[in-house]
Amino acid sequence: QVQLVQSGAEVKKPGASVKVSCKVSGYSLSDLSMHWVRQAPGKGLEWMGGFDPEDVQTIYAQKFQGRVTMTEDTSTDTAHMELSSLRSEDTAVYYCATGSGDLDYWGQGTLVTVSS
Amino acid sequence: EIVLTQSPGTLSLSPGERATLSCRASQSVSSSYLAWYQQKPGQAPRLLIYGASSRATGIPDRFSGSGSGTDFTLTISRLEPEDFAMYYCQQYGSSPPFTFGGGTKVEIK
């Protein structure tokens, strides 16, 4: 059984960066395709990016290109998502999730608040 | 990028009734790589259906998915109190990018 445990809530100022972590247990991160999804308050789900096993690379949604970096530390089975140049519209709950396209395991979510 | 449009935005029904949720894609979804998720307030989404019609592990058989190409449907045969929630469709193709629909809220009438 895969379990994903995310880092705690963050409060950031506009223009700053945030790094959210997702610790995997019950499976090896290197055997999973990790994705990141966010949800602004009262809004729907938004896919940010994830690992494409066919091309063996991480694909980012066009909206976040140049601002987001997704990395993996296989020595600790921890995935990271860093979002830079934060603005108020980036206030959201950020989820890590894994699966072969359909996402059957999700972290609990990390609230990132961007406020001056 | 494939755009998914869900309808209706809100569905008001009573327990025991049948719910029919629609998800329409802007272009054909390859190999029926279409999933449905349920989300309750304050919780992460839960996978219900993958491959357009296969139930995920532990999902009751009152949930069913159907469709192909650009038109997909999630049906809840008889609504239980715990089924009142938000529902999202997602297309995941053969590789990213993936996209979600805007969601349908199933609320108690």
Side-chain angles (χ1 to χ4, degrees), chain A residues 83-94:
Chain A
L83 187 63
S84 62
S85 302
L86 289 169
R87 34 209 188 230
S88 58
E89 310 89 88
D90 294 318
T91 294
V93 175
Y94 290 78

Side-chain angles (χ1 to χ4, degrees), chain A:
Chain A
Q1 178 81 348
V2 177
Q3 287 194 312
L4 307 177
V5 178
Q6 298 182 223
S7 49
E10 303 262 12
V11 179
K12 296 291 183 181
K13 293 194 182 302
S17 297
V18 68
K19 192 170 187 178
V20 179
S21 300
C22 175
K23 168 73 174 172
V24 176
S25 61
Y27 228 81
S28 176
L29 178 58
S30 58
D31 293 330
L32 301 173
S33 293
M34 191 63 73
H35 296 260
W36 292 84
V37 176
R38 78 175 186 179
Q39 186 170 39
K43 301 298 184 182
L45 302 172
E46 183 173 32
W47 180 81
M48 299 180 68
F51 185 75
D52 179 1
E54 287 196 8
D55 286 344
V56 196
Q57 64 176 324
T58 297
I59 305 294
Y60 301 121
Q62 193 167 10
K63 175 178 180 177
F64 301 102
Q65 293 262 1
R67 248 191 354 125
V68 69
T69 304
M70 296 172 187
T71 56
E72 297 183 353
D73 182 347
T74 53
S75 68
T76 61
D77 284 323
T78 302
H80 304 275
M81 186 284 299
E82 184 168 20
L83 187 63
S84 62
S85 302
L86 289 169
R87 34 209 188 230
S88 58
E89 310 89 88
D90 294 318
T91 294
V93 175
Y94 290 78
Y95 294 101
C96 58
T98 186
S100 52
D102 52 318
L103 302 171
D104 42 6
Y105 296 102
W106 292 69
Q108 82 277 19
T110 296
L111 175 62
V112 175
T113 303
V114 183
S115 173
S116 55

Side-chain angles (χ1 to χ4, degrees), chain B residues 19-48:
Chain B
T20 303
L21 288 67
S22 172
C23 177
R24 179 161 290 177
S26 61
Q27 55 188 281
S28 183
V29 176
S30 61
S31 302
S32 294
Y33 286 139
L34 193 287
W36 289 93
Y37 299 84
Q38 177 192 69
Q39 187 181 33
K40 297 179 180 179
Q43 296 185 15
R46 177 174 72 146
L47 177 67
L48 298 176

